[in-house]
């Protein structure tokens, strides 16, 4: 059976082949209803554009890079899943580039990949979005990029962030209503904007909903092991906290494990909450109270920005909502 062509798509959609080309290439000036009809026909016919021909004609490679500092983390998996969906729908390919920017050899290898692959754009999540060396390589080869959750807005690149403070505020309001007055925070690495934002939001929410209250802090590394170590330190304190918020779910699950090891019931003795709503949050027992951020949707928005805007705006900041999810790891304050 002959593979469908762009002409076949155009005939069935009732448009010109140029319109189909514009939709496939993510170009503007196509009415949303028309673009949706064309995409529907493309899906029905299982049409696959000739990427090589498109690249020669338009000087584009139709290749989007998704950078990551860790392929195993929930954040990275969700990010890649969302980005790949949009790339597949729009006729682009997604290249996963794992990078440890502190390793000179790996950084050099990344530069060679950027020089030879001619990416049409790159999604740069934390902590890489805050690394001048990584951004300098992308700039050197004129690769357009979208930053996800950067620490600051010094760089003129478009950025997409989640409204973490809203979810943290809802969490603290809930904890205060349960009677909690001794709080702790397990923070992530300083290079991650998210950890600092969540720490500041936690302190602000406690001041707003509880009042004058000291917050115990422990350092972590966004890993289960570091969360467990942080939990052990907190639970050895004389006046241990009754409510612990960890800056991501992996660390929160580690805190729950530390509580079990110390003979403390969750949530009978210790309430624990995390952030992300990862798979681990629902697999641990008790299931984890957390803040869900739409990582896949953020990735989709980043890809759409790269594909649909041939010339990226110098100032663009998109804000995504989060949701507070109550599960079994939190409960009323214990009588201690």
């Amino acid at each position: 059976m002959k593979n469908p062509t762009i002409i076949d798509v155009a005939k069935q959609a009732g448009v010109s082949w140029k319109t189909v080309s514009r939709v496939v290439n993510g170009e503007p000036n196509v009415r949303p209803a028309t673009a949706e009809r064309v995409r529907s026909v493309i899906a029905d016919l299982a049409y696959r554009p000739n990427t090589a021909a498109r690249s020669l004609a338009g000087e584009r490679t139709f290749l989007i890079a998704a950078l990551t500092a860790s392929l195993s983390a929930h954040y990275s998996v969700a990010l890649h899943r969302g980005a790949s969906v949009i790339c597949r729908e729009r006729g682009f390919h997604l290249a996963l580039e794992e990078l440890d920017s502190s390793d000179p050899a790996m950084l050099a290898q990344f530069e060679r990949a950027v020089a030879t692959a001619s990416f049409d754009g790159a999604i740069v999540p934390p902590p890489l979005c805050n690394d001048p060396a990584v951004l300098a390589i992308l700039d050197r080869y004129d690769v357009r990029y979208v930053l996800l959750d950067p620490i600051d807005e010094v760089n003129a690149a478009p950025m997409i962030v989640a409204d973490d403070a809203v979810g943290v505020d809802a969490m603290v309001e809930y904890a205060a209503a349960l009677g909690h007055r001794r709080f702790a925070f397990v923070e992530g690495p300083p290079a991650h904007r998210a950890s600092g934002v969540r720490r500041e939001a936690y302190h602000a929410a406690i001041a707003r909903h509880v009042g004058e209250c000291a917050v115990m802090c422990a350092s972590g590394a966004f890993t289960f092991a570091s969360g467990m170590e942080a939990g052990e330190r907190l639970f050895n304190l004389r006046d241990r906290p009754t409510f612990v918020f960890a800056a991501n779910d992996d660390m929160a699950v580690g805190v729950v494990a530390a509580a079990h090891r110390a003979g403390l019931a969750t949530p009978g003795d210790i309430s624990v909450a995390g952030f992300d709503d990862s798979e681990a949050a629902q697999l641990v027992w008790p299931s984890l109270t957390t803040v869900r951020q739409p990582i896949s949707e953020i990735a989709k928005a980043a890809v759409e920005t790269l594909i649909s805007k041939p010339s990226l705006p110098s100032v663009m900041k998109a804000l995504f909502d989060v949701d507070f999810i109550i599960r079994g790891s939190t409960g009323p304050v214990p009588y201690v």
Side-chain angles (χ1 to χ4, degrees), residues 36 49 80 106 124 134 155 169 244 269 281 284 289 309 314 317-318 335:
E36 185 58 36
H80 298 151
M106 207 167 187
V124 191
V134 172
N155 193 293
D169 186 82
V244 180
D269 297 311
V284 69
T289 292
K309 300 183 185 298
S314 59
K317 182 176 181 180
Y335 293 100

Side-chain angles (χ1 to χ4, degrees), residues 3-207:
N3 291 330
T5 67
I6 193 171
I7 302 300
D8 297 325
V9 175
K11 284 181 179 178
Q12 185 160 324
V15 298
S16 70
W17 68 267
K18 289 185 178 180
T19 298
V20 176
S21 178
R22 290 191 188 101
V23 172
V24 169
N25 293 336
E27 296 176 10
N29 304 322
V30 180
R31 292 176 181 172
T34 301
E36 185 58 36
R37 186 167 75 252
V38 171
R39 291 192 192 104
S40 177
V41 172
I42 287 173
D44 290 343
L45 296 180
Y47 169 66
R48 291 292 179 267
N50 185 326
T51 304
R54 289 162 63 202
S55 179
L56 289 171
E59 297 184 351
R60 303 180 73 178
T61 60
F62 298 90
L63 187 63
I64 301 293
L67 277 54
T68 182
S70 171
L71 283 172
S72 62
H74 161 76
Y75 182 96
S76 295
V77 172
L79 184 78
H80 298 151
R81 186 177 295 133
S84 65
V85 167
I86 294 299
C87 282
R88 193 177 303 117
E89 288 178 359
R90 304 296 294 275
F92 279 67
H93 297 281
L94 184 70
L96 308 183
E97 290 290 335
E98 186 177 11
L99 175 61
D100 178 359
S101 59
S102 65
D103 181 346
M106 207 167 187
L107 200 62
Q109 186 180 30
F110 171 66
E111 180 161 9
R112 287 194 295 272
V114 173
T116 56
S118 300
F119 296 116
D120 276 337
I123 306 169
V124 191
L128 301 176
C129 61
N130 306 308
D131 193 314
V134 172
L135 301 184
I137 290 173
L138 296 173
D139 288 333
R140 191 175 303 135
Y141 294 94
D142 294 321
V143 177
R144 304 172 314 135
Y145 50 87
V146 175
L147 305 178
L148 307 186
D149 265 344
I151 288 177
D152 53 50
E153 301 178 24
V154 173
N155 193 293
M159 62 187 65
I160 301 176
V161 300
D163 197 355
D164 294 2
V166 171
V168 174
D169 186 82
M171 175 198 302
V172 173
E173 183 177 18
Y174 159 78
L178 293 175
H180 290 278
R181 296 297 181 269
R182 296 210 301 270
F183 295 86
F185 179 68
V186 180
E187 60 186 348
H192 286 254
R193 167 191 174 274
S195 182
V197 168
R198 291 164 197 172
R199 181 185 64 247
E200 291 174 12
Y202 195 47
H203 282 276
I206 289 171

Side-chain angles (χ1 to χ4, degrees), residues 174 178 243 266-267 270-273 287 289 324 326-332:
Y174 159 78
L178 293 175
F243 192 98
T266 305
I270 301 290
S271 286
V272 181
S287 55
T289 292
F324 175 49
I326 301 172
R327 296 200 180 100
S329 64
T330 51

